[in-house]
Amino acid sequence: MDTPIVISYFLEHAPVSLDNHRRYAAALGYRHDFVDGSSGPRGAQAQTLRKYEILLEALSHAPSDTLVLLLGEDVAIVEPVPLHTLMAGRQHLLARTGSLHPAVNVQIWRNTPASRADVYKILTCCRFGGPSFNGDGQLLSALETTDWHALINGVCPVMQTGANVDPAWRRVPTFAITIDGDCHAPDKLGKVPRFRDALIGHLNQCRADGVSLFSSLERPENDEPERSSYNPGRRIAFATLYTPEIASYGRIAEQNFRRYCDIHGYSLYVHRDHPKEVGLSGTANWLKPWLLHAYLQHHEWVFWLDADVLFADEARSIESLLTGRDLLLARDIGQWPFNSGVMGFRDTARNEALLRKLMDSIASLHDRSTVYSSNGDQYYFIEALKAAGLLCEDEILSPLVINTPWFFDATNSFLVHYYGMWPEMRALMMAHDESNRHGRCKDPRRTVVSS
């Protein structure tokens, strides 16, 4: 059998993906070709036409029956399975991962006249001036495809993954993963290169070290008390809560919060499980008004921080955002007026009454079993502010100022929120960003988004 060929056709700069593909090819003695399309046209039709011209050229110049693996930058090899193991009796392997169409960025072809004819037909449909181009996924659907869950010799050929998808490929033997844009939340987000680099970089490191995937992110044994208080008695305080099942990223957030509060002399209250004295059943998010109300009796300002939040700029104090305010909130990127993952309350009679009313409302709910039960805590915070006449949308800050979604994170971000992610992916992304940020020199001359 002639030596298989691995082609990495990239439309973006993705060194960790390239390293993954090269390692796979080297491990099995395959030829590896890299085609850098990052400086080429951005039109999908032009990019796709070039891809299939490259594939056809590789097939046309290879010995008969040679196997060719075509990979994009959003694909990583998980298990170094030989191609012939997957291709016995097949002219090509195209896998449907989550939609009607097969994955376009991981394909295996056998060099036969029939395969070359199929590829030529596809590239003909990509040429300019012809019928409307709707992507090569639709063109590939005309060929025989396989479902991702149909194992081949005990191996899943291709599995989709993303920020908000269970990484089942850590449990099921899997050849390749493809990071699909529709596996993020919100669903219109598309691809996030930083997430791809973090995930594939982690996979590469685990393979190099010979350890299991995500093992470095497993939640540690919690030998600490149910709660801790740091720097008590300060004017400004922060409060957070994480339960044992989310300690893998709750611990990352706690360490970040402690550094930030130590730098600026703020108080910090950390709860590592439900405070039993509240007597409220349900998930931890419902406890926010109880903790805010309790700590507001001892501070001028109290901020709630979800356990999937990080201070990106630890040198920046929060005081500059407080002048003339009794509330500090940031707009939600969805249809909500604000996001309840980060909220600041000043010690005022109106805020005290608001939190009391919130506690009554939440205590009367029949279902608090999940974060999103009964519309979620965010809904009740919004309704309470509306009823109290405190919801002034003009005073709510941009999410680029504070409570910034993780996919909007930039060098001038202050406080970043990692929501809409599967727990392992959240821990991975938070650990990745903490590692890259810690010790990062902040340039005071840079442009900072202000309120």
Side-chain angles (χ1 to χ4, degrees), residues 201-402:
H202 176 74
L203 194 159
N204 290 349
Q205 191 62 54
C206 288
R207 289 292 177 255
D209 295 343
V211 299
S212 59
L213 294 165
F214 301 104
S215 59
S216 62
L217 303 169
E218 299 288 344
R219 73 171 185 256
E221 291 296 325
N222 193 350
D223 56 357
E224 293 184 300
E226 179 268 321
R227 69 189 69 178
S228 297
S229 301
Y230 305 100
N231 309 324
R234 307 303 173 90
R235 185 172 74 93
I236 295 173
F238 293 83
T240 192
L241 187 158
Y242 63 87
T243 50
E245 62 268 18
I246 62 169
S248 60
Y249 60 84
R251 286 290 186 87
I252 297 172
E254 178 182 347
Q255 292 170 6
N256 174 274
F257 300 164
R258 285 194 63 179
R259 280 198 310 270
Y260 181 74
C261 289
D262 286 343
I263 290 169
H264 298 283
Y266 302 143
S267 297
L268 173 65
Y269 300 100
V270 177
H271 290 258
R272 302 182 185 91
D273 210 334
H274 294 71
K276 294 181 175 58
E277 68 271 22
V278 174
L280 189 77
S281 62
T283 51
N285 60 297
W286 297 105
L287 294 163
K288 294 178 187 180
W290 277 265
L291 297 179
L292 284 165
H293 183 269
Y295 294 126
L296 203 55
Q297 313 306 308
H298 308 285
H299 304 275
E300 183 179 340
W301 276 91
V302 175
F303 285 83
W304 175 266
L305 301 175
D306 276 358
D308 56 352
V309 168
L310 293 175
F311 286 97
D313 188 349
E314 296 174 13
R316 193 186 312 181
S317 72
I318 203 162
E319 275 95 339
S320 62
L321 300 176
L322 304 183
T323 304
R325 298 180 182 277
D326 291 337
L327 291 165
L328 188 67
L329 305 167
R331 284 193 297 273
D332 191 78
I333 63 166
Q335 299 302 306
W336 304 96
F338 64 87
N339 182 279
S340 65
V342 175
M343 300 179 291
F345 292 80
R346 189 165 170 259
D347 181 19
T348 68
R350 295 181 77 182
N351 283 345
E352 199 269 348
L354 179 145
L355 291 170
R356 281 189 177 277
K357 192 166 185 177
L358 257 172
M359 288 188 281
D360 290 339
S361 297
I362 290 174
S364 67
L365 295 177
H366 295 295
D367 185 8
R368 297 181 299 270
S369 59
T370 72
V371 171
Y372 300 109
S373 297
S374 304
N375 294 317
D377 68 272
Q378 187 161 286
Y379 170 81
Y380 295 94
F381 272 97
I382 292 168
E383 291 301 304
L385 264 69
K386 284 180 180 178
L390 297 175
L391 186 62
C392 180
E393 296 198 23
D394 290 342
E395 296 180 3
I396 299 176
L397 298 178
S398 164
L400 302 183
V401 175
I402 195 169

Side-chain angles (χ1 to χ4, degrees), residues 45-330:
Q45 187 167 352
Q47 292 173 337
T48 306
L49 174 60
R50 185 185 186 192
K51 177 170 69 175
Y52 289 100
E53 287 285 8
I54 290 167
L55 175 60
L56 184 60
E57 280 293 291
L59 291 169
S60 299
H61 290 89
S64 178
D65 215 39
T66 297
L67 298 176
V68 177
L69 171 63
L70 179 64
L71 300 172
E73 67 270 17
D74 295 313
V75 172
I77 304 301
V78 181
E79 299 289 347
V81 177
L83 293 183
H84 65 81
T85 301
L86 301 171
M87 290 293 289
R90 298 175 184 271
Q91 295 292 306
H92 58 258
L93 179 57
L94 305 169
R96 292 187 301 275
T97 55
S99 66
L100 296 175
H101 304 318
V104 301
N105 53 2
V106 51
Q107 307 174 27
I108 310 176
W109 295 83
R110 185 183 300 279
N111 182 27
T112 65
S115 291
R116 292 195 300 272
D118 286 336
V119 174
Y120 182 78
K121 184 176 180 180
I122 292 168
L123 73 84
T124 298
C125 295
C126 297
R127 289 174 175 168
F128 304 140
S132 177
F133 176 75
N134 295 311
D136 51 340
Q138 185 179 56
L139 300 174
L140 290 172
S141 294
L143 302 175
E144 181 181 357
T145 60
T146 185
D147 289 319
W148 67 269
H149 50 78
L151 302 185
I152 302 174
N153 287 326
V155 176
C156 172
V158 184
M159 192 182 298
Q160 70 172 348
T161 194
N164 198 28
V165 176
D166 176 12
W169 43 273
R170 70 182 293 193
R171 302 184 297 272
V172 178
T174 301
F175 171 60
I177 53 172
T178 173
I179 303 173
D180 290 349
D182 59 359
C183 293
H184 290 292
D187 58 1
K188 303 299 182 186
L189 182 59
K191 297 175 182 176
V192 182
R194 191 168 107 260
F195 170 76
R196 174 197 64 213
D197 294 345
L199 179 60
I200 298 180
H202 176 74
L203 194 159
N204 290 349
Q205 191 62 54
C206 288
R207 289 292 177 255
D209 295 343
V211 299
S212 59
L213 294 165
F214 301 104
S215 59
S216 62
L217 303 169
E218 299 288 344
R219 73 171 185 256
E221 291 296 325
N222 193 350
D223 56 357
E224 293 184 300
E226 179 268 321
R227 69 189 69 178
S228 297
S229 301
Y230 305 100
N231 309 324
R234 307 303 173 90
R235 185 172 74 93
I236 295 173
F238 293 83
T240 192
L241 187 158
Y242 63 87
T243 50
E245 62 268 18
I246 62 169
S248 60
Y249 60 84
R251 286 290 186 87
I252 297 172
E254 178 182 347
Q255 292 170 6
N256 174 274
F257 300 164
R258 285 194 63 179
R259 280 198 310 270
Y260 181 74
C261 289
D262 286 343
I263 290 169
H264 298 283
Y266 302 143
S267 297
L268 173 65
Y269 300 100
V270 177
H271 290 258
R272 302 182 185 91
D273 210 334
H274 294 71
K276 294 181 175 58
E277 68 271 22
V278 174
L280 189 77
S281 62
T283 51
N285 60 297
W286 297 105
L287 294 163
K288 294 178 187 180
W290 277 265
L291 297 179
L292 284 165
H293 183 269
Y295 294 126
L296 203 55
Q297 313 306 308
H298 308 285
H299 304 275
E300 183 179 340
W301 276 91
V302 175
F303 285 83
W304 175 266
L305 301 175
D306 276 358
D308 56 352
V309 168
L310 293 175
F311 286 97
D313 188 349
E314 296 174 13
R316 193 186 312 181
S317 72
I318 203 162
E319 275 95 339
S320 62
L321 300 176
L322 304 183
T323 304
R325 298 180 182 277
D326 291 337
L327 291 165
L328 188 67
L329 305 167

